[in-house]
Amino acid sequence: MSRAASTNEPTTDTPPEDIAKSSKAVGEPLVTVENLTKRFPIKKGIIFQREVAAVHAVEDVSFAIYPGETLGLVGESGCGKSTTARVLLKLIEPTSGKITFEGEDITGLNKRQMRPMRRQAQMMFQDPYASLNPRQTIGQIIGAPFRIHKLSGDTKQKVQELMERVGLNPEHYNRYAHEFSGGQRQRIGVARALALRPKLIVCDEPVSALDVSIQAQVLNLFEDLQEEFGLTYLFISHDLGVVRHISDRIAVMYLGHIVEVATADELYNNPKHPYTAALLSAVPKGKVGTQVTTRTVLTGDVPSPVNPPSGCPFHPRCPKARQVAGGDGVPENCRVELPPLGEVVENHHAACWYPLEESEELAKAAHA
Amino acid sequence: MTQIGEPILEVKDLKVHFPTPDGMVKAVDGLTFTVHRGETFGIVGESGSGKSVTCLTALGLIKRESAQISGEVLFEGHDLLKLSNEDLRPIRGKALSMIFQDPFACLHPFYRVGDQIVEAIQCHDSCDKKEARNRTVELLSAVGIPQPDDRFRDYPHQFSGGMRQRAMIAMALAHNPSLLIADEPTTALDVTVQAQILELIDHIKQEFNIGVILITHDLGVVADVAQSVMVMYAGRAVEYGSRDEVFSGPLHPYTWGLLESIPNIDRKGARLVPIEGAPPSLIRVPTGCSFNPRCPHRFDPCDKDRPELLDRGGGHPEACHLRVEDKKRLWNEREAGRVEEVAS
């Protein structure tokens, strides 16, 4: 059983900008994140609060995004996707780690110092109902970035141009959010994010709340805008089909760790981490002939991020580890030591002691 | 493979209209279908197409004072629409049970999960508490909850989303129903958990030989687990057939649009082809075919005559005025176009 370990020895300490580069990775990265960690303390006591535990939301995450590229971030709920995005934009302070934007270290900047950077990096949210102020008109909502950054000029005209660009009727300038459908509201969110011509847009599940026919319209809009304005996206979604469609490169997260990074095609055709393989096989294919029974169904739930498992976070559910150990056990190194995110094949990084061989089938995990 | 048995639920020309100050909302407008024993019947459609209202009406969960309901829903020899609330009670939750979309909202946060299932059992069976408890533990283990003895005493917040949905399924199975209605049972869950729950529902269906109605907006889920599929748009069925018929030879432009707007996980597709526009308001449903304003193939009669759900020679019923040969040609062209686009 030493074959996997010896042939695919993971390399440690790859600099974030070299992790699984896509063809769009030219020049300097727009954003780099190094060893980013975020823990939310859990406190007890009424007057004398003491920290009793911490939620390990993001653990030692490193990646880089190059200009014009779309990095997809996938994972199940609670795996730290959104926290990573929020920390990246410094909406939450990181516990440790370093964030660089256009070569400048922004980790230690305070709110005021962040202002100029905020023009360059905007965010889009999941819920088109909660992310728009119901008491403001669309004109006010999309014009807010101009107001906040005290930009002169004809705001109304600029807003109407934006509305036209994202496919809204500019005459609806004075309407309120409730007068629009879900898809139109998401377009309003896009227009607001686009207002200051940012370089980076962080999209946190932007199409999850939409019906499929509308979802396709919004995804096409994202692609058009990227081409037109040279945008860079960090695209978060739990929908693996959507992420594959839009991303150049994809990072898979599990319990706060990035477990695999590769270009979209490589990741879907040749997953190396058992978790990625299981995740992909769980997606209904929408094709006649695929049956539920041929899937790798993971048993159990994601462990609590308050008490993450030792060693590899995936080892309690990993079918491959059981295969390697034979029977119900788990190999020693999976249980004890955290596998580093190493290059398994060229431009394909995975954090696993026993990465999958090409077209290796995962055994169906036995039911508990 | 699963044996498809005798019909258990027959819905005939069901109409559910809600009067509102703005006009009549035609949530369901003439729907006919049959569900058989041993069959998973998938109902697909976008939000507001009337999927849930259909099933809520069948269960008598739509207040009759607030809606105008007509048609027939035949289940085990009864027309459910004609039964009074008292007569419905022995059927609902017993022979006919339902699981809902949001497992977080369906369990009472103040009561232990086990006690809630015990209540569901005692509601129809006059057994003592101890027996009900034993059955609950059996049910919990049948739906795959580990250590059911201990988990019996847990509160809902101690359960994960997938486990809550399992508990809801246990509750629905308490009285060996002959028909299980699952309204978007996996929408709130992650894909890995979704796979577990779908497998569980499939397993239960085969083991107890019951019928399952699976309501979903996810065509992928339907293609995986259903035997029959009904595609709904604006309160009416636009296409109805076996899974193989609908997925390999869809005959309605709306089904084409749905199939084409899903990003494919198997290959990085070319540009998505969305359906133009948005679903219509159910108060002002377009005249003629309700899909005509969004349909790329509309022609003369589409905005005047409403197409009925008929088998026009394509092998399964659909509601579109185009000739079957044209539809087959158009779909083949669309498919060929997509393959070409990917190849280039």
Side-chain angles (χ1 to χ4, degrees):
Chain A
M1 282 298 136
S2 60
R3 91 201 133 81
S6 59
T7 52
N8 296 321
E9 189 75 73
T11 51
T12 43
D13 53 49
T14 321
E17 56 269 26
D18 288 339
I19 297 177
K21 279 184 171 182
S22 77
S23 56
K24 287 195 182 170
V26 280
E28 288 298 306
L30 183 67
V31 202
T32 30
V33 165
E34 254 174 277
N35 309 100
L36 192 71
T37 297
K38 177 66 196 176
R39 290 184 183 159
F40 294 101
I42 300 172
K43 289 177 176 158
K44 261 201 176 152
I46 298 162
I47 298 165
F48 300 105
Q49 292 206 332
R50 63 205 152 84
E51 201 181 312
V52 288
V55 177
H56 300 239
V58 178
E59 282 285 310
D60 196 12
V61 158
S62 302
F63 60 84
I65 314 176
Y66 285 86
E69 182 188 42
T70 304
L71 176 70
L73 204 53
V74 281
E76 294 174 90
S77 37
C79 72
K81 307 184 294 285
S82 296
T83 309
T84 307
R86 274 153 213 249
V87 175
L88 177 80
L89 291 180
K90 296 257 302 182
L91 298 175
I92 313 173
E93 286 297 317
T95 308
S96 67
K98 185 178 162 193
I99 310 158
T100 328
F101 189 82
E102 291 196 299
E104 190 193 345
D105 187 350
I106 58 166
T107 324
L109 300 187
N110 62 26
K111 268 191 174 169
R112 238 188 127 100
Q113 293 164 321
M114 278 298 291
R115 274 275 163 83
M117 182 261 178
R118 295 240 179 267
R119 287 182 62 172
Q120 308 292 334
Q122 290 284 322
M123 185 147 183
M124 273 219 48
F125 299 92
Q126 170 172 11
D127 188 343
Y129 295 86
S131 58
L132 302 177
N133 187 339
R135 300 183 60 166
Q136 287 186 348
T137 63
I138 299 315
Q140 286 173 311
I141 290 173
I142 304 177
F146 298 110
R147 248 187 357 264
I148 292 165
H149 288 275
K150 303 191 178 66
L151 298 182
S152 55
D154 187 356
T155 309
K156 182 170 176 180
Q157 196 203 334
K158 282 186 193 161
V159 169
Q160 289 188 326
E161 278 169 20
L162 279 167
M163 289 175 69
E164 192 145 14
R165 182 61 205 85
V166 298
L168 294 165
N169 186 347
E171 284 163 25
H172 296 164
Y173 184 81
N174 282 322
R175 293 204 179 175
Y176 289 88
H178 72 262
E179 296 172 71
F180 294 88
S181 68
Q184 286 175 315
R185 282 157 180 257
Q186 215 53 319
R187 286 172 194 270
I188 297 168
V190 177
R192 175 174 62 183
L194 212 58
L196 300 170
R197 295 277 182 274
K199 291 185 174 140
L200 173 75
I201 298 186
V202 175
C203 313
D204 190 357
E205 304 258 15
V207 294
S208 321
L210 307 176
D211 271 319
V212 276
S213 70
I214 308 298
Q215 174 179 308
Q217 294 173 359
V218 175
L219 286 175
N220 281 345
L221 176 66
F222 275 116
E223 289 183 328
D224 293 344
L225 294 173
Q226 179 164 43
E227 205 161 292
E228 191 174 333
F229 299 108
L231 292 172
T232 308
Y233 294 129
L234 175 63
F235 195 95
I236 298 175
S237 180
H238 66 273
D239 185 327
L240 291 138
V242 167
V243 169
R244 166 159 211 189
H245 180 81
I246 198 115
S247 311
D248 299 303
R249 221 154 41 102
I250 296 171
V252 183
M253 285 190 80
Y254 185 77
L255 266 184
H257 296 267
I258 287 188
V259 295
E260 187 161 7
V261 190
T263 57
D265 285 337
E266 169 73 11
L267 188 91
Y268 280 68
N269 296 333
N270 187 15
K272 288 292 176 201
H273 198 285
Y275 176 64
T276 314
L279 200 60
L280 290 175
S281 86
V283 179
K285 296 291 183 299
K287 249 189 299 177
V288 181
T290 41
Q291 283 291 309
V292 202
T293 41
T294 58
R295 297 193 190 134
T296 312
V297 174
L298 290 179
T299 48
D301 287 308
V302 183
S304 153
V306 180
N307 276 318
S310 61
C312 170
F314 188 54
H315 86 255
R317 297 171 81 195
C318 183
K320 171 82 186 189
R322 276 159 193 77
Q323 222 166 300
V324 171
D328 258 357
V330 170
E332 179 77 13
N333 48 356
C334 291
R335 216 173 50 235
V336 178
E337 210 177 334
L338 179 72
L341 189 66
E343 192 163 32
V344 182
V345 290
E346 202 190 348
N347 280 336
H348 189 153
H349 286 61
C352 180
W353 292 121
Y354 304 99
L356 300 177
E357 303 288 325
E358 196 147 334
S359 72
E360 180 182 337
E361 293 274 319
L362 264 186
K364 196 172 142 75
H367 269 285
Chain B
M1 266 315 289
T2 348
Q3 287 292 312
I4 301 220
E6 79 275 18
I8 36 177
L9 182 80
E10 285 178 74
V11 174
K12 288 181 187 163
D13 198 28
L14 179 70
K15 287 183 181 161
V16 186
H17 295 178
F18 298 98
T20 67
D22 296 331
M24 189 69 84
V25 174
K26 294 176 179 170
V28 179
D29 199 18
L31 200 60
T32 303
F33 63 91
T34 310
V35 185
H36 302 86
R37 207 171 257 286
E39 169 186 57
T40 302
F41 185 86
I43 304 183
V44 217
E46 293 179 89
S47 33
S49 58
K51 312 181 292 284
S52 299
V53 171
T54 306
C55 292
L56 292 175
T57 311
L59 282 169
L61 293 175
I62 300 273
K63 267 196 196 157
R64 288 179 196 166
E65 308 85 70
S66 64
Q68 298 171 2
I69 304 173
S70 67
E72 279 178 55
V73 179
L74 299 174
F75 177 75
E76 294 186 338
H78 305 282
D79 183 354
L80 297 181
L81 298 182
K82 299 218 165 59
L83 293 183
S84 66
N85 252 329
E86 281 68 42
D87 294 333
L88 253 180
R89 200 161 294 144
I91 300 174
R92 183 168 56 200
K94 193 169 182 186
L96 183 62
S97 61
M98 183 152 177
I99 42 183
F100 297 88
Q101 172 173 3
D102 189 352
F104 298 88
C106 290
L107 289 167
H108 197 295
F110 288 1
Y111 293 92
R112 298 175 197 276
V113 174
D115 290 340
Q116 295 186 48
I117 301 175
V118 164
E119 189 191 350
I121 291 174
Q122 289 188 318
C123 187
H124 290 289
D125 262 353
S126 52
C127 57
D128 61 29
K129 190 123 196 213
K130 201 171 163 204
E131 196 192 327
R133 201 202 120 95
N134 291 340
R135 265 175 60 193
T136 303
V137 174
E138 263 170 47
L139 282 167
L140 286 176
S141 86
V143 296
I145 289 180
Q147 295 129 22
D149 264 324
D150 303 331
R151 286 303 196 159
F152 181 92
R153 280 187 301 276
D154 277 358
Y155 286 94
H157 72 265
Q158 292 164 296
F159 273 37
S160 68
M163 279 168 65
R164 281 183 228 198
Q165 199 58 288
R166 283 173 195 269
M168 290 305 299
I169 295 173
M171 201 184 284
L173 290 180
H175 298 283
N176 299 328
S178 44
L179 181 67
L180 179 68
I181 300 177
D183 187 358
E184 306 255 9
T186 57
T187 309
L189 307 173
D190 282 315
V191 274
T192 54
V193 184
Q194 165 171 296
Q196 294 170 2
I197 297 290
L198 289 177
E199 189 165 282
L200 174 66
I201 293 177
D202 203 54
H203 173 75
I204 287 165
K205 184 196 77 184
Q206 292 186 13
E207 187 164 318
F208 298 99
N209 190 27
I210 60 175
V212 176
I213 298 183
L214 183 73
I215 303 178
T216 176
H217 66 274
D218 189 336
L219 285 164
V221 168
V222 172
D224 265 19
V225 299
Q227 277 81 48
S228 308
V229 183
M230 180 167 72
V231 183
M232 284 187 75
Y233 186 77
R236 291 176 63 82
V238 295
E239 189 157 6
Y240 175 26
S242 77
R243 175 188 67 173
D244 295 11
E245 287 165 353
V246 173
F247 281 89
S248 22
L251 290 174
H252 196 283
Y254 177 64
T255 319
W256 301 344
L258 277 185
L259 288 169
E260 283 176 354
S261 49
I262 313 171
N264 195 311
I265 186 174
D266 285 335
R267 45 163 207 252
K268 182 164 174 110
R271 203 174 158 75
L272 297 175
V273 190
I275 307 175
E276 276 173 45
S281 145
L282 292 172
I283 298 176
R284 278 173 291 278
V285 177
T287 54
C289 170
S290 50
F291 186 59
N292 88 73
R294 302 174 76 190
C295 182
H297 305 294
R298 65 177 166 269
F299 63 114
D300 198 27
C302 289
D303 56 352
K304 296 182 198 80
D305 298 340
R306 187 166 74 179
E308 294 305 318
L309 189 73
L310 295 172
D311 186 349
R312 290 176 172 75
H316 64 270
E318 29 78 28
C320 176
H321 284 306
L322 286 167
R323 286 187 309 157
V324 171
E325 307 89 79
D326 289 343
K327 280 186 279 206
K328 286 195 167 149
R329 184 176 50 80
L330 283 167
W331 171 245
N332 287 338
E333 276 172 16
R334 277 175 166 227
E335 281 230 291
R338 265 193 301 169
V339 172
E340 220 167 79
E341 234 181 305
V342 171
S344 62

